[in-house]
Amino acid sequence: MARKQRVFVEDIPQYIKISAINEIELFKDVDDCNYFYNQALELSKNLFLDIHAYCFSSNTIEFLATPKQDNTLSKFIQNLSKRYVVYFNKKYTRTGTLWEGRYKASLVDVDNFLFLLMHHIESKKSQRNSLDKNTKNIKDDLIISHKSYLALASSAENRVNKYQLAIKQSFDRYISSWFDNSINKQEVIGSNIFIAKLEELTGLKLVTQKKGRPPKRKQMYGNKMLLDKVKHKDLKIKKLQNLNFAKNLQAIPILEIELDKISPFLPIVFGGENYDNLLILTSLGGENLAINPQGKWIIPYIPNEIRKHPFSMVNHPSNVEQQVILFDEKSEVLSYEEGEALFTPEGNASDRLNEIGSFLKTSMQNREKTQDIIKEIIQSGILDEREIAVNDGEIKNILVKNFKVVDIEKYHALDDSILAKWVRNGTIKFIEQHLKSLDNIEKLFDLANARQQ
């Protein structure tokens, strides 16, 4: 995938994020944080980078800053990153980088979002941040206040009061989630008017419009292979330690029999290329919020789709009556060295593999039943396409799209004969559980906000 193009516009601040690789703890003591702070202070002064807000968290660094030249920001991040790696590796006797790829940056609309973004950054849980400077006027040499902040009032006391009032009236978790999604995608944080002006000024297209088919769901399988008793006679399966293989999934297929176990906790919608899959929404455009930072599922019931990993079952290409098992050869739970054997020394399926096969076959049968119900619902014409978006005045920022839900008015307008049939075959219960689950969309914002903190 092509790198995101860096864009510099004079006098326009940028939201900057640097992430630690493998969630390494960047600051193990106060001295570490102080060293990083001092290096950032020295470099920002030498390179003429005005920093308006910051937070140094355990595994992420965030700044809101205005670079004076087009190469100011890249030089600052490059030198700061290198200096801290040298310091950290020498102190803790390690090698290699501390950073996960390149830094991320987003241009910021000062008129609409400067103060809200400052508060978003400096109010995060962190080892050190600029909150006291901007809300209490406590000295912080790293901060050079933006001219819009200085213009709030002539005195420092009135300035902090007006700043606190501005963020108190407008800040909420919806805006906060949008900020996080924007920086992760390196999208402009601004109104449509602001973006249009930037595009005219730079000659660049800063908003990508996706057309055509809905994007494919992110997969949790690396490379599927047919399980073969000869080629894989020594293959073993280890105990599953975490669910990080699914941490990037934004939606997860489930079965009809799982609805009552999941619908009280997470929203369930219709998705996929033809909207013929029943999906749990687990994201607001970023990481999987149903899996916590420790790799654990956050609700009591884990869906079949997750539990069957790294295996799946399909019909044999030349015999639909026969099923074959596929496995992800890159899965960390499979090994030729340790774990439970999948085959006996004689080359037969072990008890463990028979259990896996039985589970996969039952799941496959339930998948067919689920798809039959969905097909009937689709044919009834009661599904409507929806999206999850954050609105702030003229700005509409879509977080999740390309899914459908049952339209209540169309549902209630169905012929009595259809409804009677659906009562008998369980489709009514299916729909009611789906509709009730949509109340949990609000919970996704709560989870995103908690994750941010």
Side-chain angles (χ1 to χ4, degrees), residues 220-228 231-232 235-238 245 308-312 325-337 342:
M220 61 182 180
Y221 292 91
N223 185 26
K224 287 185 178 181
M225 292 188 65
L226 179 66
L227 186 63
D228 184 279
K231 292 181 182 178
H232 309 117
L235 192 61
K236 299 176 176 64
I237 182 167
K238 299 182 290 183
F245 59 84
K308 73 181 185 182
H309 187 80
F311 301 100
S312 60
I325 295 177
L326 306 177
F327 72 97
D328 180 1
E329 65 171 347
K330 295 184 178 181
S331 173
E332 295 180 357
V333 301
L334 296 177
S335 168
Y336 287 97
E337 307 298 330
L342 295 179

Side-chain angles (χ1 to χ4, degrees), residues 212-250:
R213 293 183 176 182
K216 292 182 178 179
R217 267 190 304 112
K218 292 182 179 180
Q219 301 296 316
M220 61 182 180
Y221 292 91
N223 185 26
K224 287 185 178 181
M225 292 188 65
L226 179 66
L227 186 63
D228 184 279
K229 66 179 182 181
V230 176
K231 292 181 182 178
H232 309 117
K233 60 184 178 67
D234 297 321
L235 192 61
K236 299 176 176 64
I237 182 167
K238 299 182 290 183
K239 186 177 180 180
L240 189 63
Q241 299 297 323
N242 60 64
L243 304 180
N244 286 332
F245 59 84
K247 67 180 181 180
N248 293 320
L249 294 185
Q250 297 184 357

Side-chain angles (χ1 to χ4, degrees), residues 23 181 184 217-220 242-254 266-267 280-299 302-303 305-306 400 443-444 447-448 451-452:
E23 298 190 347
N181 285 326
N184 288 332
R217 267 190 304 112
K218 292 182 179 180
Q219 301 296 316
M220 61 182 180
N242 60 64
L243 304 180
N244 286 332
F245 59 84
K247 67 180 181 180
N248 293 320
L249 294 185
Q250 297 184 357
I252 298 171
I254 64 167
L266 293 166
I280 316 171
L281 285 184
T282 57
S283 168
L284 290 173
E287 62 186 359
N288 187 339
L289 298 168
I291 296 174
N292 68 21
Q294 291 73 46
K296 305 300 182 184
W297 192 253
I298 65 167
I299 68 172
I302 301 176
E305 186 75 9
I306 300 293
V400 186
K443 187 177 291 184
L444 290 180
L447 289 170
R451 184 73 54 90
Q452 167 200 307

Side-chain angles (χ1 to χ4, degrees), residues 37-194:
Y37 176 91
N38 290 331
Q39 296 306 307
L41 176 61
E42 178 186 331
L43 288 166
S44 64
K45 303 303 181 189
N46 292 342
L47 295 170
F48 304 104
L49 179 72
D50 291 352
I51 296 174
H52 315 305
Y54 69 88
C55 75
F56 303 157
S57 302
S58 59
N59 45 48
T60 59
I61 309 295
E62 296 186 11
F63 296 101
L64 178 62
T66 303
K68 296 298 176 66
Q69 298 177 339
D70 61 356
N71 62 353
T72 294
L73 189 53
S74 59
K75 282 185 177 181
F76 172 77
I77 297 297
Q78 185 180 42
N79 282 280
L80 181 60
S81 300
K82 285 183 177 179
R83 288 186 185 186
Y84 193 68
V85 167
V86 172
Y87 161 85
F88 191 91
N89 285 355
K90 182 178 180 181
K91 181 175 179 178
Y92 296 107
T93 319
R94 68 179 297 278
T95 59
T97 186
L98 291 171
W99 313 110
E100 184 181 73
R102 305 170 79 209
Y103 72 90
K104 295 179 178 179
S106 295
L107 296 169
V108 178
D109 179 348
V110 170
D111 292 340
N112 290 298
F113 297 110
L114 177 71
F115 299 148
L116 294 176
L117 187 52
M118 286 170 58
H119 183 65
H120 169 76
I121 293 169
E122 63 195 12
S123 62
K124 290 185 175 183
K125 182 179 179 181
S126 58
Q127 274 74 4
R128 190 162 183 168
N129 59 52
S130 55
L131 186 64
D132 284 346
K133 167 61 179 174
N134 289 321
T135 61
K136 300 177 183 177
N137 196 39
I138 295 175
K139 182 178 174 61
D140 189 329
D141 292 332
L142 188 55
I143 292 298
I144 296 180
S145 298
H146 191 274
K147 57 186 178 183
S148 295
Y149 180 87
L150 295 174
L152 285 172
S154 57
S155 72
E157 182 180 357
N158 289 337
R159 197 177 298 135
V160 297
N161 289 337
K162 286 193 175 182
Y163 173 66
Q164 290 178 352
L165 182 62
I167 57 180
K168 183 178 181 180
Q169 288 177 339
S170 303
F171 193 82
D172 60 40
R173 65 179 181 275
Y174 300 99
I175 289 292
S176 186
S177 295
W178 177 55
F179 286 154
D180 283 331
N181 285 326
S182 296
I183 186 61
N184 288 332
K185 297 175 183 178
Q186 299 189 80
E187 296 176 342
V188 176
I189 296 174
S191 68
N192 294 331
I193 294 173
F194 175 76

